[in-house]
Amino acid sequence: MWVLTPAAFAGKLLSVFRQPLSSLWRSLVPLFCWLRATFWLLATKRTKQHLVLRGPDETKEEEEDPPLPTTPTSVNYHFTRQCNYKCGFCFHTAKTSFVLPLEEAKRGLLLLKEAGMEKINFSGGEPFLPDRGEYLGKLVRFCKVELRLPSVSIVSNGSLIRERWFQNYGEYLDILAISCDSFDEEVNVLIGRGQGKKNHVENLQKLRRWCRDYRVAFKINSVINRFNVEEDMTEQIKALNPVRWKVFQCLLIEGENCGEDALREAERFVIGDEEFERFLERHKEVSCLVPESNQKMKDSYLILDEYMRFLNCRKGRKDPSKSILDVGVEEAIKFSGFDEKMFLKRGGKYIWSKADLKLDW
């Protein structure tokens, strides 16, 4: 059978137009028939490529290749749910006091590294609570020295961090993110970030100095809610000059901060999308601002709980997978509900190693 190629087609066409005009029409008929047969042959060949014969009278479409397993590039490990603050909108509350033995936690982190993890973020609860920050410090050092992860970060309320911790572990930490929702101390107390005579804002400034002194990239996380949505934080954020200012819209999670089994009632903190957008517009001059609406937040994080189970938030609650310690990362991550496209869209992949940030310490 002929196969249609540019050379064959040109030859056919040339042979036709070399003939006298009287015989031109007689030559066009077989040419059109030849073209029709050739295209039909190619179409049939493509169709057969998508069919697999199962028997004399039975065919089925060829099965598509299975999707590639999700790579846990960036993982948030909430190894404790305990906290010394009582933020009214908290979406990871103190429902258990469990913390994995240190060696088991290290084993899980090694499994994640072998599965492709590049960044680990330690959070809680308050991660500096267990063993006064020593448990956390040992995990940070393990991830940077033994696993050689490009990025190790922490999210903390900052109230329990001491300079000695920086002296012992600061060199192994890339980013420290401190939660600060307001620069008005009365608002912080209303939210639940008050702790006796300690001033949350003053402590934030002290931590900023320590990050500079011990060469740790400084970041701020703020949850925008009913009590701070009208605040203008532009000047304070610029003065602190964090590498990133993550601005979250207050999010409801069933069983955590809303619903029958919840330890918090966050409904009174919730703001609408338009209110959130107005807050962002007010702070558009802050170049380090990274906004995250409810839609961006919900499925774009890989979250491990205290048992090293991935938490699926697609249905507005946290449904756990089996632990990676029992079934491995590849099996457990199938139930994570992770939306990698949204992870990239919200800027989840960025320059996250302090060696690459080129900061002016």
Side-chain angles (χ1 to χ4, degrees):
M1 297 293 292
W2 291 327
V3 176
L4 183 63
T5 66
F9 179 68
K12 284 280 180 184
L13 207 56
L14 187 60
S15 65
V16 169
F17 287 103
R18 279 177 176 170
Q19 299 178 40
L21 186 61
S22 59
S23 59
L24 178 60
W25 290 109
R26 290 195 301 272
S27 300
L28 284 175
V29 173
L31 175 61
F32 289 146
C33 293
W34 178 81
L35 285 172
R36 181 180 177 186
T38 303
F39 281 114
W40 178 84
L41 176 64
L42 289 173
T44 304
K45 186 176 180 181
R46 289 194 187 100
T47 302
K48 288 183 177 179
Q49 287 176 348
H50 293 281
L51 297 175
V52 178
L53 293 177
R54 300 180 64 187
D57 300 316
E58 188 179 8
T59 62
K60 71 167 186 177
E61 288 192 10
E62 185 177 2
E63 294 182 1
E64 295 181 0
D65 293 334
L68 294 174
T70 300
T71 301
T73 307
S74 177
V75 178
N76 297 272
Y77 178 23
H78 296 250
F79 62 81
T80 179
R81 283 179 170 268
Q82 297 297 301
C83 188
N84 59 325
Y85 276 9
K86 295 181 180 179
C87 302
F89 49 70
C90 179
F91 61 83
H92 200 74
T93 54
K95 306 193 85 169
T96 77
S97 58
F98 180 80
V99 177
L100 273 174
L102 184 64
E103 293 306 312
E104 281 292 275
K106 288 181 177 180
R107 180 167 74 89
L109 291 168
L110 176 58
L111 291 174
L112 289 164
K113 168 63 188 303
E114 291 172 342
M117 179 174 68
E118 298 177 19
K119 180 181 185 293
I120 183 69
N121 179 57
F122 294 108
S123 189
E126 173 47 49
F128 281 87
L129 263 178
D131 197 17
R132 298 183 178 182
E134 285 299 304
Y135 181 93
L136 172 61
K138 290 172 182 176
L139 290 182
V140 167
R141 181 169 56 195
F142 172 77
C143 287
K144 184 57 75 171
V145 175
E146 298 189 40
L147 298 186
R148 298 181 179 275
L149 292 182
S151 183
V152 180
S153 65
I154 297 171
V155 175
S156 166
N157 62 39
S159 63
L160 301 176
I161 305 176
R162 303 291 178 263
E163 187 173 8
R164 181 173 292 278
W165 192 94
F166 280 95
Q167 294 169 348
N168 293 336
Y169 303 109
E171 64 180 297
Y172 312 115
L173 182 64
D174 290 279
I175 303 171
L176 175 64
I178 300 298
S179 299
C180 179
D181 305 316
S182 176
F183 289 92
D184 183 335
E185 195 60 24
E186 292 184 3
V187 174
N188 283 322
V189 172
L190 282 173
I191 289 172
R193 293 200 188 279
Q195 195 183 27
K197 295 181 180 181
K198 288 185 178 181
N199 186 297
H200 190 76
V201 177
E202 290 177 0
N203 192 55
L204 179 72
Q205 295 167 340
K206 178 177 65 177
L207 291 167
R208 178 67 184 96
R209 291 195 301 271
W210 286 345
C211 283
R212 182 189 63 239
D213 294 344
Y214 293 96
R215 300 187 174 230
V216 175
F218 180 70
K219 177 181 171 185
I220 296 175
N221 288 354
S222 300
V223 177
I224 309 308
N225 60 84
R226 179 58 52 204
F227 296 99
N228 66 1
V229 68
E230 301 300 333
E231 189 172 340
D232 189 340
M233 309 180 191
T234 302
E235 295 305 316
Q236 293 91 336
I237 295 294
K238 285 184 175 181
L240 288 165
N241 192 28
V243 294
R244 280 163 75 85
W245 179 32
K246 290 286 285 290
V247 175
F248 303 96
Q249 183 181 2
C250 182
L251 178 67
L252 294 179
I253 297 290
E254 184 181 345
E256 296 284 356
N257 59 15
C258 68
E260 293 183 1
D261 300 327
L263 298 184
R264 296 285 190 276
E265 295 179 358
E267 288 88 349
R268 66 193 181 102
F269 290 89
V270 172
I271 60 171
D273 294 342
E274 292 184 2
E275 292 174 294
F276 184 63
E277 289 299 324
R278 285 200 300 271
F279 182 90
L280 299 179
E281 177 65 22
R282 192 180 311 127
H283 295 87
K284 62 183 179 182
E285 295 182 6
V286 182
S287 59
C288 61
L289 188 155
V290 181
E292 289 195 15
S293 63
N294 286 172
Q295 184 180 4
K296 287 184 179 180
M297 284 178 62
K298 192 170 58 172
D299 307 321
S300 64
Y301 284 85
L302 275 176
I303 301 175
L304 276 182
D305 71 0
E306 63 274 23
Y307 301 101
M308 284 197 156
R309 304 177 300 185
F310 286 110
L311 298 179
N312 186 332
C313 301
R314 282 185 176 266
K315 296 181 179 179
R317 57 179 185 267
K318 291 183 174 179
D319 296 321
S321 70
K322 293 183 179 179
S323 173
I324 65 172
L325 298 171
D326 297 327
V327 300
V329 176
E330 185 175 341
E331 181 62 27
I333 205 170
K334 293 176 183 177
F335 302 92
S336 64
F338 180 58
D339 185 343
E340 189 169 12
K341 289 183 179 179
M342 184 59 76
F343 165 74
L344 296 172
K345 184 177 180 180
R346 70 167 174 81
K349 188 74 181 285
Y350 58 97
I351 301 175
W352 51 34
S353 171
K354 64 181 178 182
D356 298 327
L357 284 167
K358 298 179 181 179
L359 297 176
D360 183 5
W361 301 108

